[in-house]
Amino acid sequence: MSMFSTGILVLTSPLHTLPLRIAPVLSSAAQLVERTLYVHLHPGLNLGSGSQPRPVFIPPVVDLSTVISRLYSNAANVCGHLDVRVLLTNVHAQSAACNGNQAIPNCPFPTPQSLSHSPEVVLTDFPLQDPGQSHQVKQCLQRYTGRCYVCSPSLHSELLYPQIMKLQEKEEGLKEPEEKAKPLETYSDVVVGGTFDRLHGAHRTLLNISCLLADRRFLIGVCDQAMLKKKVLKELIQPYSLRVQKLEEFLQDVKPSLNVEIVPLDDPFGASIVDPLLQCIVVSEETRKGGEAVNKKRAENGLPALILHEIQLLKDAHHTEIEEEKISSSSLRSRLLGTLLTPPKDTSHLPPFPYVIGLTGGSGSGKSSIARQLEALGAVRIDCDKLGHEVYQPGTAAYHRVLEEFGSDLLNEDKTINRRALGKKVFGNQERLKALTDIVWPEIALLVKSIISQAREEGKQVCVVDAAVLLEASWTDMVHEVWVTVIPEEEAVTRITERDGVTKEEALRRLQSQWSNSKQVEHANVVLSTLWQPEVTRKQVLKAWDLLQKRLQKRQQAQ
C-alpha cells in the first residue's frame, strides 16, 4: 500500500460514537500517512447518498471538546510519529456565523483553505453499506475535500475499515443521546500560557480547545528567559522564535479566522492580569492554581475575573521511570539524550577511522564516568586531563616555555612545576591565562593526535577524546562528533563541593569560568546527562553507542 506524506482524515461518525472509533481509525491512517495528518470533523456526513454533500458549520458542543482530547490522547498512544492537527474552520455557532449585520451562508469554505502541508490523500471512517459503492464514495469524498481545502491535484482517497464489524457490534449497544448536545460556551478573547517546546499532544489539546472557545482573539504567553531557568534539560528547549513559528503554523491551520497574538512570558502572569478584554483562561488540573492566582491579581488591578476552563492532562503511555506520567515537553527532551541532535560538520580533512568523539562538559557533569563507559563498550579513551599533567613534566617543550613565561619560582624541590602556584599567577587574569593555555593546549593536542594515529595502526574503530576544554581549545577540528554532558548548575555545585572539599562559592566560581551548558550544547551533536541514577545514564550511553554504530555502518557502506 502506498504511503503519503500528508493526509486529511474526514470523520463522519456521530460525536457520541466517535470515541470508540478514534484509536482504530488513527491506527489505520498511520499505515498510509507518514508525516502530517489533518482531521476534519463532520458528524453525520453522508458520502453514499448519490448526491454531492457540501461542507456546513457544526456547532461547538461539549462532546466536541471531549472528542478533541480523545483524538490527541489516542494519537500519542497509537501513532506518536504523526503530526496530528484537528481543523476547526467549520466549527462555529450558527447564530454567531455572521459578518457585520449580514448573515453568511451556511458554508464555512467560501474558497478552499490552504494548509501548511498540501494533503496527498483523503481518508474517512464512513462505513460502506454496499461494497459496490466504494468508487462512488471515494469520488464523493475527493470532491467534498477539494471544496474545503487546497489539496494535491492528484488527491487519492481511501476508505478505512478499522475492525468495522467489532465496532458496529459495540455501537449497537450505544443509545442515541436522549438530550440535545450541550452547547459549549464560547468567549470573545481567550488566553493561555506555556513553554510550548516541541508541540505535543497535550499542547495541541490545549490549543485546539482554546481555539474552540475563542470567537475573536487568542492570546498566548510563551515562556522565555527567566521562566525557563527551572525547566528540566532547559538547554534542549527550542529557541523562542522557533516555538512561536511552530505555534503560528499550527494555529493558522486549525482556525485561520482567529486573531492570534503571541507574546513572550517573563513572569508567571504576563498580559493576563492587565488585559481588560480577556474573558477566559484555559488551564489544566495542575495549572488551575496559576489561573486562580491570575484572577487574584486581576481583582487587585480592578479587572473582572476570568472564567477558568479546565482541561484534563493527557497520560503518557510510553513514559519511563525518569519521566512524568503526563505527556510533557521535559519527557520529550529526556528522550533526545543520546540521539543525534544535529548532523556532524564536514570532517573530510580527517581520516574516516578511527571515528573520533570529542566528549566534553562542565565540572561535575559526569563526563569522565561516561568516557569510561564508552571505553568499556570498545572505544579508545584519551584522557586529556592526564595528558595535561604529562605536558608539564620536566624536559618537555611546555615545561621550559612555562618557566620562561612565568618564572622559575614555580618549581618544587624535585624540579617539577607547582601547578597550584601557577594557578595563583593566572587566576582572574585573562591575559596571563591565555599565555598559559597558548603554551599547554597545543602540546596536549599533539599527544591526542599521536594516540589517535596509534589507534588507527591498531585497527581501532572509535576513539573518545575526554576533554573539559575541547570547545575552548578549538580541538573540534580533531574530532568527527562533539558529545556534551549537562547537569543543572545547582547539582554541579553539590557534586564539586562533595568531591573536592571546596566551598559552594569556589565551586560556583569554577563553573562560571567555564562555558555555560547552553553554549556547549550549541556545538553538540549528541547530548547526555548524568542527572539521574547510574542505570539511567547507562541506558543513555548504550543508546548513543548503538546509534553511533549504525552511523558508522552507513559510512562504511557509502565508502
Side-chain angles (χ1 to χ4, degrees), residues 75 158 188 268 381 456:
E158 293 288 342
S188 169
R381 180 189 173 203
R456 186 176 305 114

Side-chain angles (χ1 to χ4, degrees), residues 56-61 64 88-99 103-106 108 183-187 211-215 255:
V56 296
F57 282 110
I58 61 172
V61 292
L64 190 56
L88 299 176
T89 299
N90 64 324
V91 178
H92 214 310
Q94 293 295 309
S95 58
C98 59
N99 184 5
I104 52 176
N106 190 22
L184 188 72
E185 188 170 355
T186 60
Y187 307 91
C211 287
L212 197 60
L213 295 168
D215 292 327
K255 194 170 180 179

Side-chain angles (χ1 to χ4, degrees), residues 63 188 222 363 402 427 483 537:
D63 285 355
S188 169
V222 177
S363 186
V402 166
F427 182 76
W483 292 15
T537 303

Side-chain angles (χ1 to χ4, degrees), residues 229 234-235 363-364 486-496 504 507-517 531:
K229 285 182 179 177
K234 63 181 180 182
E235 300 83 7
S363 186
V486 295
I487 57 169
E489 186 178 84
E490 55 270 25
E491 175 66 17
V493 167
T494 300
R495 291 184 186 184
I496 295 165
K504 285 187 177 181
L508 200 55
R509 258 200 311 271
R510 188 184 302 178
L511 288 170
Q512 289 169 348
S513 71
Q514 301 169 353
W515 280 25
S516 68
N517 283 346
L531 178 59

